[in-house]
Amino acid sequence: MREPCHQLQGKRVLLGVTGSIAAYKAAEIVRQLRKMGADVQVIMTEGATKFIPELTLSTLSQRKVMIDIFDSGDEQTWTKHITLGHWADVFLIAPATAQSLAKLSHGFSDNMLTATVLASKCPILICPSMDHDMYVHGTVQSNVKRLEELGYHILPPDYGELASGLIGFGRLPELEEIFKRMTSLLTGTLHGKHALVTAGPTREPIDPVRVLTNHSTGTMGFALAQDLARRGAEVTLIAGPTLLPSPNGITRVDVTTSADMLEAVLAHKTADYIFMAAAVADYTPVETHASKITKHQSQLTLKLERTTDILSQLGKVRRSGQTLVGFAMETDSGLENAQKKLASKNLDWIVLNNIQENGAGFGTDTNRVTLISKDGGLYPLEIMPKLEVATQLIDRILANPV
Ligand code: CTP
């Protein structure tokens, strides 16, 4: 193992500094990152320059600080924000003001910092820092929530004495805490692994205006994709029709029918981890009418045929070393049915959902599931938000390879 003081050797860190009084701490952040071996590129907002001189940060980082999006430095190009976004292994924004949180949560790109965030492919850790009343304001909180939903990592501020003399939440956390969180993003346990996640419903067309579908919203699959990306995996998310925004740092493939999903999944069948969380239609119309079916008959019979069971196909062609996880949505004899599916589809794990339980199933923000392993292990989880469910499922699966 490397000396702890060199734990960031060779890592490329973008440090975004915005106009909060805590910006003066950026000097110490740069100094310590450099001591840990990181290559640091600082980007400041105009506001940040009122609190700490650019010269201090460029001297400590030994790189020209970027502030103006149209200043290309020595290079004869104005695409510096793109180059930097692709260069970094991690992007730390500390401190982040209410203003920058608002811009980032709405995709603004009006300065070097916000434009580089949009162009970045690496994990982004944001450390909000401001006065207590600003931080707890509804708009700031909803911006923070939206950023989290989009896959940004947020380290909330500490409680304590603030520059205003008031006491509350708003202090930039201890640098040790910031570095711990940042390092865990860089050294996620799934670096170099490919994870495939399916999410949402499928739609099977009856005619040009009608479809067969179900109530799945995709929330559970998106939460899994987000958590896998946070751990450093390269994530492919195959999503049925859903309005959910893509988590940060994943590759998303949108599909409509179960046949489309089958094709997209088989293109990635060698992934190291596969989570088949989509609610794939079991039946599809034998025939899709070319024109709209009119209501001149008193009864209408639809002829349906079975779709291909994608998960069973994966179970047949799975390679050694791969982890295959299925989901079972049951109303009766849940445990027994889930265990049968686990065996018949050749899975390592199955996640049992009971849609009749309060706070579980389709369209809820929370879920209560039981994780079942192929060697008989049963792990019931408490009811909790779906993102937390995703984290606990993945923790358990990684801790108990079967
Ligand atoms: N699944 C799939 N392809 C299908 C149907 C389901 O890959 N055509 C996957 C789902 O993504 C899920 C698992 O199979 O991971 C279980 O799906 P579920 O609908 O609960 O069970 P089925 O096996 O379809 O059985 P039944 O509907 O009879 O309960």
Side-chain angles (χ1 to χ4, degrees), residues 70-325:
F70 296 108
D71 172 8
S72 57
D74 302 332
E75 295 165 36
Q76 292 304 301
T77 163
W78 70 279
T79 52
K80 191 83 183 158
H81 52 300
I82 310 289
T83 323
L84 285 177
H86 289 208
W87 169 84
D89 295 310
V90 67
F91 198 156
L92 169 66
I93 304 178
T97 56
Q99 169 81 343
S100 286
L101 294 174
K103 287 183 182 180
L104 293 175
S105 69
H106 290 86
F108 277 46
S109 58
D110 63 336
N111 61 34
M112 189 64 180
L113 176 53
T114 51
T116 310
V117 165
L118 289 188
S120 292
K121 292 187 167 299
C122 59
I124 301 176
L125 175 61
I126 302 179
C127 304
S129 179
M130 63 202 76
D131 215 77
H132 174 90
D133 293 310
M134 293 174 77
Y135 181 66
V136 297
H137 194 281
T139 52
V140 174
Q141 286 302 307
S142 85
N143 288 336
V144 167
K145 185 163 177 275
R146 180 164 163 76
L147 286 165
E148 273 183 322
E149 284 165 1
L150 290 168
Y152 293 87
H153 305 274
I154 307 283
L155 183 60
D158 278 354
Y159 183 86
E161 195 178 330
L162 303 165
S164 59
L166 299 172
I167 308 277
F169 283 101
R171 286 176 64 85
L172 190 71
E174 294 301 323
L175 300 197
E176 202 180 316
E177 199 48 45
I178 296 176
F179 295 142
K180 210 164 89 191
R181 189 69 193 274
M182 199 190 84
T183 312
S184 84
L185 290 179
L186 274 168
T187 57
T189 48
L190 294 178
H191 261 287
K193 300 287 183 193
H194 180 205
L196 171 67
V197 182
T198 66
T202 60
R203 276 187 197 155
E204 311 300 320
I206 297 170
D207 68 14
V209 291
R210 302 181 180 93
V211 292
L212 280 179
T213 188
N214 57 62
H215 294 301
S216 170
T217 55
T219 317
M220 195 61 235
F222 275 60
L224 287 162
Q226 181 172 337
D227 194 82
L228 290 160
R230 178 181 72 82
R231 294 169 199 254
E234 179 204 334
V235 181
T236 305
L237 172 63
I238 298 176
T242 160
L243 296 174
L244 294 177
S246 296
N248 188 242
I250 59 123
T251 304
R252 173 170 173 173
V253 180
D254 286 306
V255 296
T256 306
T257 64
S258 59
D260 298 340
M261 188 170 278
L262 172 68
E263 193 185 332
V265 166
L266 290 181
H268 299 283
K269 63 175 189 262
T270 55
D272 298 290
Y273 294 88
I274 301 185
F275 290 83
M276 194 70 208
V280 188
D282 287 324
Y283 289 91
T284 190
V286 171
E287 173 193 9
T288 300
H289 290 257
S291 356
K292 189 182 160 195
I293 303 172
T294 52
K295 55 178 185 296
H296 56 266
Q297 304 147 293
S298 60
Q299 288 193 338
L300 174 69
T301 305
L302 280 180
K303 207 163 178 196
L304 305 178
E305 64 187 354
R306 285 285 306 271
T307 57
T308 304
D309 189 318
I310 305 172
L311 192 53
S312 294
Q313 290 300 312
L314 289 171
K316 284 184 190 140
V317 298
R318 57 178 301 173
R319 64 166 177 85
S320 67
Q322 182 175 62
T323 302
L324 192 52
V325 186

Side-chain angles (χ1 to χ4, degrees), residues 380-399:
L381 302 188
E382 295 297 310
I383 187 157
M384 59 184 85
K386 284 184 175 167
L387 196 51
E388 186 56 31
V389 173
T391 303
Q392 295 218 10
L393 288 177
I394 297 166
D395 277 348
R396 180 67 71 184
I397 288 168
L398 294 182

